[in-house]
């Protein structure tokens, strides 16, 4: 079992436009930033707003785009927009190569290694460095003169952290929100993600996660016989009848993903994920589960009610289609990244988590990757590139994590140096802090945002005094 | 006018074997470390000696190979060999891709961009990081357990500095000797290199550099007429008669290179550069020049005597061949690097230096590069990659420079942070400190080496305490 970070922003980036204003522009970037074998370039999209900017003193607020259409990130990073005027900042959102409109080879981009092979974090970051250099020239400013503050959430937060670590001359500091930079081999137990997911449910009530844990054996039991499968079809309102063991496993996988996704988007206000989820959706799931008694049928009705909330918020889903999980954006890109650099082991131990025991099978992942993309994962490349857990040399980074967020399992939860610090937001799910203010925001998120601004001021001051 | 760093090691690496013992091995490294477009690999040579090593506490002493055959660097970095036993260190010299026996495409390697294009500093450094990871696995040690101290001189020193800056989790600290990391556009005046070269001569006697400066107009004057050219042929014992203005310019260029090279190898003991140069060769040149009077003929005889010392140390040169400058190793590689990343502007202003005024003509350089290699320089790539002069974030680097070394013009001559410090060795030419001890070494070099060892101890201690 493994999750792609894609789920993260699926959760959060589907809001309608918030009316933020920007120009859409394109920058010619080299296909291979680290070689001169060809002069091939492609157009990288970026969004820019210079109306708040005071070039003499304002920084660049720079969003390090992650795995999706950059306009979605722009629409859903309200904190940058709300803070820019106060800082006289230039607002700049760069799209990650191979996503949105920044496809080097159009539809072929993710088709085979000769096209897909330039989709790496290092290449994307160098695109950003060259874009910043270009923007500074365009605005008649030199590298020396403008501090850049990087922002990012989830994989974008990983990029924000790494770009400061690799290019500290250009990036004065970074806000890396919900960035699981340690969700890699040898850095975090593979079961940690499921454990934290579980704790989001247990924190509502220990009974809640217990009921969910119980539900798997109910599914297993019913899945054993034809009569049981028929009952499952009825109880879960499946679109197609469950016929094989693999179908039953498919239901379980779907449900685990559902619990994870709901935990990520466990915001204190409704979010537009797969049809309007209510505020505090984990609570809603638990309410369903706690209404059950210990009979099989009752437990499955609790599961089904949560499933209904998850798939049918818009009221259009006629039935439960296990083959149709929610992947609204071009997941091709992230699948490629998962098969090369972004190898994040995930498993369940069934003890510290509420899921069925499952192992992380690198060989299977690797073979699947090869079969589908002719690629195989480089298990240690992220450690080699970015230092793994030995990063006390990092400076000027805020690693923020919500403890309700499954991805906090791979996040930086303690200060790694004097200025690379951890901010823990107990009541926050996945990068809530980057979103626009909301009256239902918990106090800790408000406090965090206030703290970020004081740190930004320090970074900018230090940047100008470092000559 | 521009110089390649190649000259540096031409000067110093031609000694006979010093009897250092190592095994020669090869490591499969990816052709493109930053992409997955192909699985192509090639064999990177490295030299290793584990006889001094105490795996429980000894570091890896790692030489970041530069532009040449790695065996020459191993033979000429006596400081590493002499210090390793005291530190229980593993000694490892890695060859730079595209040099020595580490040619990805054999003889074709530097022929055209599709082959030569993977010759970059970033690729070379990632080769080193992956090699270190491989060595640690081979010796059953994890990344966490072994501090690595990087050593390098000249371009190798640049790599030593940059690899610490980029991969501080792997590299505990670096000794970057005579590393002109600021000899790039926008960081150092193009005339600085010639100014420092001149100062090496002026420090013997201001009259010395004055006479050399005077010599150019003598050459110009004589070069104007056929009779004058004939006289030059005789006075300089040219192999082929000088016929055109371009021939006369060729003589001047050759001589400027000579003065530069002699300044670099201005060691207090004889060095094997182009036939045994004497100890303190700048003094020898000045002696020749100061014996002249102000007549044209006398000045040219002074020039000729220095030329004779420079080209005829082994007594085999029959005449002065201006087309045959000294480039003993595969300069193809460095020429490629000069045409992509290593764009180091050089010029003479004729006022603070003893040379004829000349400008840095990027367009010409670029056109020549394109003509010869189908490559064009990326003027700002080194700044973008490594931060230019804004590197106060760098830590655990010793930047050592000899003030007699022309390349100190682009070196780091002041502390950039608390632990990224400058060591100035007034009496040293080009990375004398990395060489084996010699009874004629100036006290400042001895002191520097002692200081380095105390710093290494601190780095190792800090590495082990950083968990």
């Amino acid at each position: 079992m493994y999750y792609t970070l894609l789920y993260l922003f699926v959760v959060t980036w589907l809001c309608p436009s918030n009316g933020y204003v920007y120009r859409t522009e394109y920058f010619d970037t080299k296909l291979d930033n680290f070689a001169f074998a060809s002069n091939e370039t492609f157009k990288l999209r970026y969004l820019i707003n210079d109306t708040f900017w005071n070039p003499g003193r304002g920084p660049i607020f720079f969003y390090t785009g992650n795995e999706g259409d950059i306009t979605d990130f722009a629409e859903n990073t309200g904190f940058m927009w709300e803070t820019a005027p106060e800082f006289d900042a230039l607002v700049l959102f760069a799209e990650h190569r191979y996503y949105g409109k920044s496809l080097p080879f159009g539809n072929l981009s993710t088709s085979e290694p000769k096209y897909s092979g330039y989709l790496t974090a290092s290449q994307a970051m160098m695109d950003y460095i060259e874009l910043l250099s270009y923007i500074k020239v365009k605005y008649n400013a030199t590298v020396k003169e403008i501090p850049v503050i990087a922002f990012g959430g989830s994989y974008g937060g990983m990029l924000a952290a790494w770009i400061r670590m690799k290019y500290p001359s250009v990036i004065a500091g970074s806000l890396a929100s919900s960035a699981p930079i340690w969700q890699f081999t040898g850095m975090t137990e593979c079961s940690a993600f499921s454990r934290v997911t579980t704790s989001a449910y247990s924190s509502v009530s220990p009974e809640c996660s217990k009921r969910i844990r119980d539900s798997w054996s109910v599914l297993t039991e019913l899945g054993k016989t034809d009569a049981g499968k028929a009952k499952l079809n009825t109880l879960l309102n499946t679109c197609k009848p469950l016929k094989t063991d693999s179908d039953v496993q498919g239901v379980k996988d779907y449900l685990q993903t559902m619990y994870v996704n709901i935990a990520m988007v466990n915001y204190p206000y409704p979010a537009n994920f797969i049809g309007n989820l209510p505020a505090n959706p984990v609570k809603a799931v638990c309410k369903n589960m706690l209404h059950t008694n210990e009979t099989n049928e009752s437990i499955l009705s609790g599961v089904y009610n949560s499933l209904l909330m998850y798939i049918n918020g818009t009221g259009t889903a006629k039935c439960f289609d296990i083959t149709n999980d929610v992947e609204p954006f071009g997941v091709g890109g992230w699948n490629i990244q998962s098969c090369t650099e972004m190898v994040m082991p995930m498993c369940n131990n069934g003890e510290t988590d509420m899921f069925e025991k499952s192992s992380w099978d690198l060989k299977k992942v690797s073979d699947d990757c090869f079969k589908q993309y002719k690629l195989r994962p480089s298990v240690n490349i992220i450690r080699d590139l970015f230092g793994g857990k030995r990063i006390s040399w990092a400076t000027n980074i805020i690693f923020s994590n919500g403890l309700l967020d499954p991805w906090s399992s791979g996040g930086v939860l303690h200060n790694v140096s004097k200025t690379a610090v951890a901010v823990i937001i107990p009541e926050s799910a996945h990068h809530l802090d980057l979103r626009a203010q909301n009256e239902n925001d918990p106090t800790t998120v408000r406090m965090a945002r206030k703290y970020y601004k004081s740190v930004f001021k320090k970074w900018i001051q230090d940047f100008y005094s470092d000559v």
Side-chain angles (χ1 to χ4, degrees), chain A:
Chain A
M1 178 68 67
Y2 69 104
Y3 299 93
T4 65
L5 273 82
L6 184 77
Y7 290 116
L8 324 190
F9 77 88
V10 170
V11 175
T12 51
W13 310 125
L14 279 174
C15 307
S17 168
N18 289 310
Y20 303 131
V21 176
Y22 49 75
R23 293 196 312 276
T24 301
E25 298 181 355
Y26 290 84
F27 166 67
D28 288 316
T29 193
K30 278 184 71 177
L31 179 64
D32 191 340
N33 284 306
F34 300 97
F36 294 87
S38 103
N39 289 325
E40 221 163 333
T41 61
F42 67 95
K43 296 214 173 288
L44 195 87
R45 180 166 58 159
Y46 63 93
L47 317 177
I48 191 163
N49 177 324
D50 57 10
T51 58
F52 315 119
W53 196 35
N54 178 338
R57 39 174 277 191
I60 297 176
F61 277 9
F62 182 67
Y63 190 92
T64 50
N66 35 319
E67 72 285 26
D69 188 300
I70 192 61
T71 60
D72 293 317
F73 297 106
E75 292 298 335
N76 286 275
T77 310
F79 176 62
M80 272 174 73
W81 293 106
E82 290 169 356
T83 312
E86 182 182 339
F87 279 80
D88 302 320
L90 182 77
V91 177
L92 184 57
F93 284 80
E95 189 158 70
H96 193 295
R97 54 168 59 200
Y98 289 79
Y99 294 96
K101 300 241 182 281
S102 301
L103 306 177
F105 301 102
N107 290 339
L108 286 174
S109 296
T110 53
S111 61
E112 49 178 312
K114 71 174 173 173
Y115 301 122
S116 65
Y118 302 95
L119 170 49
T120 71
S122 299
Q123 297 284 357
M125 283 193 281
M126 197 60 191
D127 292 339
Y128 299 159
I129 294 298
E130 296 295 42
L131 169 62
L132 285 164
S133 173
Y134 163 83
I135 290 288
K136 286 167 185 174
V137 170
K138 196 172 167 184
Y139 280 95
N140 201 22
T142 70
V143 167
K144 269 196 162 171
E145 289 162 2
I146 314 178
V148 177
I149 296 182
F151 295 72
S154 193
Y155 169 52
M158 294 158 69
L159 294 174
W162 290 336
I163 202 169
R164 164 66 194 174
M165 287 156 72
K166 288 289 177 185
Y167 303 94
S169 311
V170 180
I171 307 296
S174 293
L175 173 56
S177 178
S178 301
I181 64 165
W182 287 343
Q183 194 78 45
F184 293 92
T185 305
M187 303 181 210
T188 294
E189 287 289 321
C190 65
S191 62
F193 186 88
S194 291
R195 176 174 49 74
V196 178
T197 304
T198 299
S199 75
Y201 291 83
S202 299
S203 72
V204 174
S205 157
E207 274 303 299
C208 176
S209 49
K210 188 182 171 301
R211 294 288 164 94
I212 293 170
R213 183 186 283 113
D214 291 345
S215 70
W216 309 113
S217 56
V218 174
L219 288 165
T220 304
E221 199 55 40
L222 288 174
K224 276 181 186 163
T225 64
D226 287 349
K229 288 197 184 83
K231 201 162 185 182
L232 283 178
N233 291 336
T234 308
L235 290 171
L236 299 178
N237 189 23
T238 56
C239 297
K240 284 182 190 167
L242 306 172
K243 287 180 177 167
T244 64
D245 290 355
S246 157
D247 287 346
V248 176
Q249 188 57 47
V251 168
K252 291 174 174 174
D253 291 346
Y254 192 106
L255 291 173
Q256 177 161 348
T257 301
M258 172 187 87
Y259 294 121
V260 165
N261 286 346
I262 288 175
M264 285 196 282
V265 71
N266 190 24
Y267 295 141
Y269 49 86
N272 300 305
F273 175 43
I274 348 175
N276 314 299
L277 274 184
N280 303 305
V282 167
K283 254 191 196 156
V285 168
C286 287
K287 198 173 159 195
N288 293 329
M289 295 311 294
L290 293 171
H291 276 171
T292 63
N293 59 39
E294 291 192 2
T295 66
N296 290 356
E297 207 152 316
S298 171
I299 287 178
L300 281 190
S301 77
V303 171
Y304 181 65
N305 285 335
S306 302
L307 185 62
L308 209 59
M309 173 185 88
Y310 178 71
I311 62 175
N312 207 24
T314 54
T316 56
K318 299 252 183 293
C319 52
F320 169 32
D321 179 359
I322 64 165
T323 62
N324 183 25
D325 212 343
V326 183
E327 291 177 343
F329 297 112
V331 287
W334 188 256
N335 285 348
I336 296 286
Q337 291 190 265
S338 299
C339 283
T340 53
E341 296 181 313
M342 299 298 154
V343 191
M344 299 182 172
M346 299 262 179
C347 67
N348 307 324
N349 62 24
E351 292 172 14
T352 57
D353 60 63
M354 63 189 188
F355 301 113
E356 275 203 314
K357 196 166 173 164
S358 69
S359 58
W360 168 250
D361 186 346
L362 177 61
K363 193 183 171 308
K364 185 179 177 308
V365 169
S366 180
D367 289 347
D368 287 352
C369 285
F370 190 76
K371 203 170 147 193
Q372 201 169 356
Y373 301 111
K374 297 268 174 295
L375 293 166
R376 288 196 185 272
S378 282
V379 172
N380 292 317
I381 189 80
I382 291 295
R383 180 201 66 191
D384 292 347
L385 283 169
F386 305 115
K389 298 201 81 169
R390 186 178 269 283
I391 56 165
S392 64
W393 48 271
T395 56
N396 289 13
I397 302 172
I398 298 169
F399 291 102
S400 71
N401 278 285
L403 291 188
L404 298 180
D405 176 15
W407 289 104
S408 68
S409 60
V412 177
L413 301 179
H414 57 83
N415 296 358
V416 294
S417 76
K418 228 168 121 182
T419 63
V421 300
V423 169
I424 308 285
I425 311 175
E427 297 93 341
S428 171
H430 206 49
H431 52 61
L432 176 59
D433 50 351
L434 287 187
R435 300 176 62 82
Q437 293 178 49
N438 184 289
E439 56 180 1
N440 294 313
D441 282 332
T443 310
T444 47
V445 168
R446 296 168 197 265
M447 284 168 59
R449 292 190 187 122
K450 203 171 161 187
Y451 171 71
Y452 301 161
K453 292 198 272 183
S454 72
V455 176
F456 298 166
K457 276 174 194 156
K458 176 84 170 64
W459 289 343
I460 292 166
Q461 202 173 31
D462 287 352
F463 181 92
Y464 283 122
S465 66
D466 175 24
V467 284

